[in-house]
Amino acid sequence: MQGPASYPYLPPPELQRGGVARTQVAIVGAGPVGLACAIDLAQHGIDLIIIDDNNALSTGTRAICWAKRTLEILDRLGCGDPVCERGVSWKVGKVFFRDQLAYQFDLLPEPGHKRPAFVNLQQNLVEEVMVDRLQALGHRVRWKNKAVAVEQDAKNVRLHVETPDGRYTIEAHYVIAADGVRSAMRHALGLDWKGQVFNDRFLIADVLMKGDFPAERWFHFEPSFHHGGSVLLHKQAGDIWRIDFQLGRTANPDEEKKPERVQPRIRAMLGDARPFELQWASVYTFQCARLEQFVHERVIFAGDAAHQVSPFGARGANSGIQDADNLCWKLARVVRGESPPSLLQSYERERQQAADENILHSTRSTDFITPKSPASRRLRDAVLALSATHEFARRLVNSGRLSTPTHYRDSPLSTPDCDRFDCEPAPGAPAVDAPVDARTSLLARCSGGFSLLTFDADSQAIVPRGVAPLRLDTTLREGSTLAARYDAQPGTSYLLRPDQHIAARWRRLRATDVQAALARAQGLE
């Protein structure tokens, strides 16, 4: 198997001219979250420097499941098409109990969406797409540049960086710490997690094989080929299959990841007749935890540097890219002097809500998958047995509640409804995509800034400066999916934030209402 892409180290020019690089935003970490931040800020015209202490992309599968909302964000970043073209689309999940199918579910049963429920693509391949996009925007990652210390004052942050050729300093207005679970930035500021550590061990194996399994998520509880544990199967690009085996708390991680231990487990699952090749294996534990604060003056934490969840439910990388989506338009406005720094507190408030939701779902998933007592195991098994014939039991099965975007219900940036709507999205929720015509979808028509969607109304005369108008028609065709998803009547209007979350909505458009909602969404109220 070809290893992940690596990139050349280039000596920073500042080593030869004073030792200080000055920029508006410095980003530590070139994983999916850091790269998403860099691309987003570049699209907003912000000067940036992004560094990483390595010069190669991720090894193994790591994150593989990219949710619909994340794919929509990647569309806005110019990365959606290559990720979807290279990845494996899926929407059906199946739950098995003791070798019998208990039930299956469809994550996107209705048509009329540009993107699928999920696309599976190895993290390093997603990173490769994002690095290419960043380079097309005129920026390059400074590889083998390691952040070793940080200082900040009322105006700037000074990031001390170590390279193979010596040290230099990056002076920036703000620093985004996107350097993962073992964040050096978190350590440099002396910050601790708050949360729960889980001691159960799990084996990840990347397997190359020509499988006839469908592109679905299969979760096995107590299968005959892995007695007493659970197994998760996912298809990835290039005939690579991801298999997760529950090992238990007492497993020796050094022993369990050896090929001579991993291969018999895979053989027991696949049978003797199916050839396969083990590409990579790792044993992991995890915690469900987050920082108490995400914003520490001029250092802002995102992704795994700010919060960690279990891998069940694909909530880690998806949540991290949604952090970037939430943060960067706000940071761009602050850096340009268009909004006060207090706008960044809404990033902390909104994304802490998302982190708490993800931690809650991840904790519940882990408790269901790895019961901690004989009584809880009997209850779990009874629920699984009933799920084959009873709908109520299926709602109790938890093999990982799969990633969904957060509805910022109490956001200080949202204007509460004054009119009656019989639909989502409500203020604080992400906009729902829908076809506008045979060629384009709603989110593809939205700008990278604030947008005002109006149905059967001429809004040109009252659209505030800096807001892109988009006039839509409730009668695009009979039974319009777009009109139905937005409960659109003539005159209905929605104000969308740059991250495509709803800021406000009205049945009748008035200039004063739009101006007030816009000021609130920009942190100017």
Side-chain angles (χ1 to χ4, degrees):
M1 173 179 161
Q2 183 179 358
S6 60
Y7 297 89
Y9 159 74
L10 300 175
E14 292 78 18
L15 290 174
Q16 306 299 323
R17 54 172 194 249
V20 179
R22 291 180 172 85
T23 190
Q24 291 177 306
V25 177
I27 302 167
V28 182
V33 179
L35 289 167
C37 288
I39 294 168
D40 209 349
L41 290 171
Q43 292 185 164
H44 282 289
I46 300 300
D47 187 51
L48 64 96
I49 294 175
I50 178 171
I51 66 172
D52 194 278
D53 61 3
N54 205 339
N55 74 323
L57 304 182
S58 301
T59 57
T61 58
R62 299 185 183 270
I64 62 167
C65 299
W66 307 94
K68 178 176 180 289
R69 178 62 198 139
T70 299
L71 298 172
E72 292 165 352
I73 296 169
L74 292 176
D75 277 339
R76 188 176 59 76
L77 299 181
C79 301
D81 283 345
V83 167
C84 291
E85 288 164 4
R86 297 177 70 174
V88 176
S89 299
W90 66 276
K91 65 173 186 171
V92 172
K94 291 179 178 176
V95 176
F96 298 85
F97 180 47
R98 295 173 181 164
D99 299 339
Q100 299 298 314
L101 176 64
Y103 70 96
Q104 67 182 54
F105 53 88
D106 188 333
L107 294 167
L108 198 64
E110 61 180 13
H113 293 272
K114 178 183 177 182
R115 294 306 184 195
F118 279 89
V119 164
N120 285 0
L121 185 64
Q122 296 90 314
Q123 179 175 321
N124 63 290
L125 299 180
V126 174
E127 291 171 347
E128 190 175 294
V129 169
M130 299 177 83
V131 169
D132 290 346
R133 172 59 177 160
L134 184 62
Q135 291 182 173
L137 292 169
H139 295 273
R140 291 180 177 271
V141 178
R142 296 190 177 196
W143 303 104
K144 290 194 173 182
N145 280 232
K146 181 179 181 179
V148 293
V150 62
E151 304 163 354
Q152 55 183 320
D153 56 33
K155 294 185 177 180
N156 292 296
V157 187
R158 292 175 64 85
L159 193 65
H160 299 285
V161 182
E162 186 177 80
T163 78
D165 293 318
R167 290 193 177 194
Y168 71 104
T169 299
I170 300 174
E171 187 174 279
H173 298 320
Y174 287 90
V175 168
I176 299 175
D179 52 341
V181 171
R182 297 178 179 85
S183 171
M185 293 297 295
R186 197 174 62 240
H187 177 74
L189 292 181
L191 304 176
D192 292 324
W193 293 113
K194 290 180 62 178
Q196 180 180 358
V197 176
F198 292 88
N199 295 317
D200 298 276
R201 299 187 186 278
F202 294 82
L203 168 71
I204 304 176
D206 280 357
V207 178
L208 175 64
M209 66 175 179
K210 294 289 185 180
D212 53 4
F213 307 110
E216 299 171 346
R217 180 186 192 263
W218 285 9
F219 199 100
H220 296 264
F221 286 96
E222 297 198 8
S224 59
F225 56 82
H226 188 64
H227 180 70
S230 62
V231 178
L232 175 64
L233 177 70
H234 264 296
K235 184 179 183 180
Q236 303 174 76
D239 292 320
I240 302 292
W241 296 76
R242 159 87 172 262
I243 308 176
D244 289 45
F245 294 93
Q246 179 187 352
L247 298 178
R249 296 187 172 202
T250 61
N252 184 319
D254 293 328
E255 291 297 316
E256 292 294 347
K257 64 184 178 183
K258 291 179 179 179
E260 58 268 28
R261 294 281 294 175
V262 178
Q263 289 172 342
R265 296 187 186 279
I266 299 171
R267 175 60 61 216
M269 179 181 185
L270 301 179
D272 295 332
R274 189 185 303 274
F276 70 87
E277 181 180 331
L278 177 63
Q279 300 285 292
W280 177 79
S282 181
V283 174
Y284 66 90
T285 58
F286 56 85
Q287 53 188 331
C288 292
R290 71 165 174 89
L291 290 176
E292 187 173 0
Q293 296 175 250
F294 292 0
V295 179
H296 292 262
E297 299 179 24
R298 292 181 174 272
V299 179
I300 304 168
F301 288 83
D304 285 351
H307 45 75
Q308 187 186 9
V309 293
S310 78
F312 310 117
R315 293 176 177 271
N318 285 294
S319 179
I321 287 181
Q322 290 163 34
D323 286 350
D325 186 49
N326 185 290
L327 170 62
C328 288
W329 70 269
K330 299 173 182 177
L331 186 56
R333 290 189 60 86
V334 171
V335 167
R336 291 194 299 257
E338 297 169 349
S339 291
S342 57
L343 179 62
L344 299 176
Q345 296 304 315
S346 71
Y347 162 73
E348 181 167 81
R349 179 168 172 176
E350 292 177 345
R351 295 313 297 168
Q352 281 181 348
Q353 178 193 337
D356 289 342
E357 288 179 6
N358 287 325
I359 288 170
L360 176 63
H361 285 299
S362 288
T363 300
R364 288 175 173 173
S365 297
T366 304
D367 288 342
F368 192 88
I369 293 167
T370 61
K372 305 301 186 293
S373 70
S376 59
R377 180 176 289 275
R378 286 194 296 271
L379 177 61
R380 195 272 314 263
D381 291 352
V383 167
L384 286 166
L386 286 169
S387 67
T389 53
H390 293 77
E391 177 64 32
F392 82 90
R394 295 170 190 170
R395 294 193 295 270
L396 301 176
V397 175
N398 197 333
S399 63
R401 295 280 188 264
L402 287 154
S403 175
T404 54
T406 297
H407 178 168
Y408 308 131
R409 289 180 173 81
D410 299 317
S411 172
L413 307 188
S414 296
T415 297
D417 282 336
C418 293
D419 303 311
R420 178 180 174 81
F421 284 83
D422 294 321
C423 71
E424 287 283 356
V432 179
D433 206 9
V436 173
D437 53 41
R439 297 184 303 275
T440 60
S441 67
L442 174 64
L443 296 184
R445 294 274 297 273
C446 293
S447 72
F450 283 89
S451 298
L452 184 64
L453 316 182
T454 59
F455 290 86
D456 300 330
D458 185 3
S459 61
Q460 294 287 350
I462 62 172
V463 174
R465 182 180 178 184
V467 175
L470 178 57
R471 187 183 184 280
L472 304 167
D473 191 345
T474 57
T475 59
L476 290 170
R477 62 180 183 274
E478 186 176 352
S480 167
T481 300
L482 175 63
R485 288 179 183 165
Y486 285 84
D487 189 20
Q489 305 167 10
T492 297
S493 302
Y494 286 76
L495 179 64
L496 268 61
R497 304 177 351 177
D499 59 3
Q500 300 173 343
H501 280 249
I502 305 299
R505 59 183 179 175
W506 305 273
R507 288 301 189 189
R508 180 172 165 233
L509 202 60
R510 289 181 285 265
T512 53
D513 292 342
V514 178
Q515 291 282 5
L518 180 64
R520 175 177 288 182
Q522 294 173 338
L524 299 174
E525 187 179 85

